[in-house]
Amino acid sequence: MEPLPPFATHLVENQPPEFGPRDLWRDDSALCEAVVREGGGDFTDALATYGALAGDELYRLSFDAHRDRPRLRTHDRFGQRIDLVEFHPNYHRIMQAGIEHGVAGLSWSQPRPGAHVARAALSYLHHQVEPGSSCPLTMTHAAIPVLRHAPALHEWAGKAISPYYDPRDVGIGHKLGVTLGMGMTEKQGGSDVRANSTRATPMAAEGEYLLVGHKWFFSAPMSDGFLVLAQAPAGLSCFLLPRWRPDGGKNEFRLMRLKDKLGDWSNASSEVEFADAWAWRIGDEGRGVATIIEMVMLTRLDCMLGAAAEMRMALAQAMHHAHHRRTFGKRLVEHALMRNVLADLAIEAEAAITLSMRVARAVDRSAHDPGEAAFARIATAIGKYWICKRAPAFVNEAQECLGGAGYVEESMLPRLYRQAPLNSIWEGSGNIQCLDVMRALQREPQTGQALLAELEAAAHLDPDFDAELKELRPVLVGEAEVPEVEARRWVEALALALQASLLLRNGSPMAEPFCCSRIGGDHGNALGTLSRDFDFGPLIARAWSPD
């Protein structure tokens, strides 16, 4: 090596190599095992392909797609209303890859056992590198069962599951594939959608309406169509509102502004006004919530998957850094206290994806198995509450593993940290999920039975788990009722018990430390406070394969 000139101030050393490219499928033992265990084994080749693509090209493209935020153009230079949102070209390439590989459509385009499990894994892989584009992919996927309630909309359903991405602002007749957004909440109601004031006036033709109103959150406003709720004569109803009317004219809605959000920068969220916008009713008048609820449940599953994905990428960034950075004479990963932190993060991340994929299997089988349908109904709300709650603290802990470098945009962790709170808010915040769980246990006893069966399958495998199961059983069998004020505490306990049950039954090396720390109480209030009795080496090795 040439000697440094006398004016050189430093030599760059003791820095980790670039994170990517990484094979996000191959590196994730917990995901690979879960896909096969939950019935998606027939799709592993497709998942391996997407894991390699996501960890390489899409990872590289994601930085500019996120940094160059969408821009709203309400009018062209001639003063004509156009309501267009412009994105960085990388965003469109990432969307194209997601749609071509089935992130939005696989569940429906290949309707065989395990398809929902495989699609969930695709969504998890995609979200790790570019979560903003996950929003329109998730909503397009989740809208399909709602669209199928209206035979007249078969073209929409067919094109929404196709592997073609077309971002042009043209009518559906000019496209091979479409994307779908959603507009539910309004200023005066928020989560209380029954307080919506948007009006739907019937037209002469059966099923056609004109909508007038204002939506406070109109998600993915460059989508081809939107599922929205509005007040029809018989009450709150569900509608498909397209960007272009069937007669070829531009539909009468106006994008007022894009939301200036904490994170999720690559995804456009907007406010919109409907000015006699044409829409097609889906389901009966007055049954809007009941019609759209299946879409809501599927998007809640993707909230779980998204939070789990953010944990996984944050863990991967921390592991990569710790395996290459040296401090005080040895690698970070060789320091006892850092090993405690990394092992604790690895336990949390595996528990998150394990529960998420189990719920995906329940969704996959729910059409033919009442027990699985009941489990999906309640476990989605439980998992959505708990996993999404864990993500922000988890990502922050991973940032600390990098020190100041984890606070710098180039590390990706600030992007993940801004993103992490979103999934706990989207599709019903924490209180909504907990109230939903309590309501289900009281009104739908089959949900409690399904939960109990799932938990009892792990009985006698761990003493801490058995003690927790004994505490939970009276509520699940209907012998005791949880007061509203304690709902969060109980839903947290149910989530931890479900995660413990799955880890124990799967024979995961994470099971014993999870039960000891999360259920048995041998743990502090922060991550990285596991008992010294555990061997952290196998836990770290399971979560990460160093270069």
Side-chain angles (χ1 to χ4, degrees):
M1 179 183 294
E2 292 288 331
L4 290 174
F7 54 81
T9 59
H10 71 288
L11 175 66
V12 178
E13 57 184 356
N14 194 25
Q15 289 289 333
E18 285 291 343
F19 176 82
R22 300 286 317 188
D23 188 329
L24 302 186
W25 167 258
R26 184 203 65 193
D27 286 352
D28 196 337
S29 298
L31 175 66
C32 294
E33 292 173 12
V35 167
V36 174
R37 182 175 61 245
E38 307 300 355
D42 287 349
F43 298 88
T44 53
D45 287 346
L47 292 170
T49 298
Y50 202 65
L53 176 66
D56 189 1
E57 179 188 0
L58 303 189
Y59 180 80
R60 287 185 282 106
L61 294 174
S62 72
F63 286 87
D64 281 340
H66 178 81
R67 188 162 38 237
D68 189 357
R69 302 194 207 184
R71 293 183 291 273
L72 173 62
R73 290 183 60 212
T74 57
H75 297 77
D76 67 13
R77 68 190 185 98
F78 304 107
Q80 300 178 95
R81 189 98 199 185
I82 54 175
D83 292 296
L84 292 179
V85 181
E86 297 176 338
F87 297 84
H88 190 279
N90 288 8
Y91 172 87
H92 291 301
R93 170 62 190 126
I94 292 169
M95 282 290 294
Q96 178 185 13
I99 285 178
E100 286 180 352
H101 288 267
V103 179
L106 178 68
S107 301
W108 319 113
S109 63
Q110 300 187 44
R112 63 183 195 268
H116 277 281
V117 173
R119 206 284 321 175
L122 286 170
S123 182
Y124 171 79
L125 292 169
H126 185 94
H127 195 100
Q128 287 182 50
V129 296
E130 215 306 282
S133 56
S134 289
C135 178
L137 294 171
T138 285
M139 290 189 295
T140 301
H141 167 259
I144 301 304
V146 180
L147 293 176
R148 288 178 172 173
H149 285 296
L153 299 177
H154 68 277
E155 182 183 15
W156 281 91
K159 291 186 176 182
I161 68 175
S162 77
Y164 301 104
Y165 175 62
D166 187 343
R168 295 177 300 154
D169 185 25
V170 295
I172 184 175
H174 302 284
K175 293 190 174 192
L176 296 175
V178 299
T179 58
L180 294 154
M182 178 191 283
M184 292 178 64
T185 57
E186 300 182 8
K187 290 191 289 289
Q188 72 284 354
S191 297
D192 184 9
V193 295
R194 295 188 185 278
N196 283 1
S197 61
T198 296
R199 303 188 310 278
T201 302
M203 301 177 68
E206 176 64 26
E208 298 184 23
Y209 290 73
L210 294 177
L211 272 56
V212 174
H214 186 119
K215 293 293 180 181
W216 206 19
F217 278 92
F218 195 59
S219 299
M222 281 311 296
S223 299
D224 297 285
F226 308 88
L227 292 185
V228 302
L229 296 177
Q231 298 287 356
L236 193 65
S237 306
C238 180
F239 301 88
L240 172 71
L241 186 149
R243 287 189 65 84
W244 292 80
R245 299 191 307 268
D247 63 10
K250 199 76 174 285
N251 210 352
E252 295 296 332
F253 66 82
R254 301 163 185 165
L255 299 180
M256 307 306 292
R257 62 170 175 162
L258 298 186
K259 295 292 191 179
D260 187 7
K261 299 171 294 184
L262 167 68
D264 199 44
W265 286 354
S266 65
N267 177 48
S269 303
S270 66
E271 288 184 41
V272 65
E273 285 187 349
F274 303 146
D276 274 348
W278 184 93
W280 181 270
R281 192 188 75 241
I282 304 174
D284 296 333
E285 277 197 10
R287 298 283 295 166
V289 173
T291 301
I292 208 170
I293 195 65
E294 192 168 0
M295 181 181 187
V296 172
M297 190 178 84
L298 289 172
T299 54
R300 286 178 177 177
L301 169 58
D302 275 22
C303 289
M304 296 170 58
L305 291 162
E310 291 157 17
M311 291 186 199
R312 175 61 196 176
M313 178 54 73
L315 171 64
Q317 297 281 343
M319 287 282 195
H320 175 74
H321 184 85
H323 277 83
H324 290 95
R325 180 80 162 175
R326 300 186 69 83
T327 62
F328 307 106
K330 54 186 175 181
R331 292 181 304 154
L332 269 175
V333 72
E334 295 170 336
H335 290 275
L337 192 53
M338 180 59 75
R339 290 170 69 78
N340 195 324
V341 171
L342 293 173
D344 213 0
L345 290 172
I347 292 168
E348 192 74 27
E350 181 160 336
I353 189 56
T354 298
L355 177 54
S356 299
M357 295 304 290
R358 172 63 185 95
V359 174
R361 171 161 66 98
V363 170
D364 194 76
R365 299 183 179 182
S366 60
H368 309 289
D369 186 329
E372 289 290 83
F375 180 75
R377 160 74 180 88
I378 195 165
T380 302
I382 293 172
K384 201 273 192 193
Y385 170 74
W386 182 241
I387 296 173
C388 297
K389 274 276 179 281
R390 299 294 282 171
F394 185 107
V395 175
N396 177 241
E397 198 67 63
Q399 285 181 296
E400 284 197 33
C401 294
L402 277 68
Y407 201 67
V408 176
E409 291 293 336
E410 293 159 312
S411 74
M412 192 188 190
L413 284 163
R415 186 203 318 179
L416 291 173
Y417 189 63
R418 288 191 299 270
Q419 192 78 26
L422 175 60
N423 285 304
S424 67
I425 298 169
W426 180 249
E427 290 302 352
S429 57
N431 284 355
I432 297 295
Q433 303 307 313
C434 293
L435 292 173
D436 195 23
V437 171
M438 295 298 109
R439 189 182 304 112
L441 289 173
Q442 294 165 13
R443 301 179 184 177
E444 306 170 50
Q446 65 272 24
T447 60
Q449 296 163 11
L451 278 180
L452 185 59
E454 190 76 17
L455 296 176
E456 286 185 332
H460 312 305
L461 295 179
D462 181 271
D464 290 321
F465 175 80
D466 288 344
E468 185 70 3
L469 178 57
K470 183 178 179 181
E471 292 291 320
L472 295 173
R473 184 178 281 109
V475 172
L476 299 180
V477 299
E479 294 176 356
E481 190 170 307
V482 177
E484 179 181 316
V485 71
E486 295 181 2
R488 282 186 173 225
R489 181 176 176 180
W490 276 90
V491 173
E492 175 182 323
L494 288 169
L496 292 172
L498 278 174
Q499 289 178 321
S501 169
L502 291 165
L503 293 172
L504 287 166
R505 288 150 53 199
N506 300 340
S508 170
M510 307 293 188
E512 184 182 357
F514 182 93
C515 291
C516 179
S517 58
R518 273 67 169 174
I519 295 179
D522 192 1
H523 196 266
N525 290 326
L527 289 158
T529 54
L530 293 168
S531 167
R532 65 182 180 182
D533 295 336
F534 292 107
D535 183 357
F536 302 141
L539 308 182
I540 293 171
R542 174 170 172 79
W544 187 248
S545 301
D547 299 333

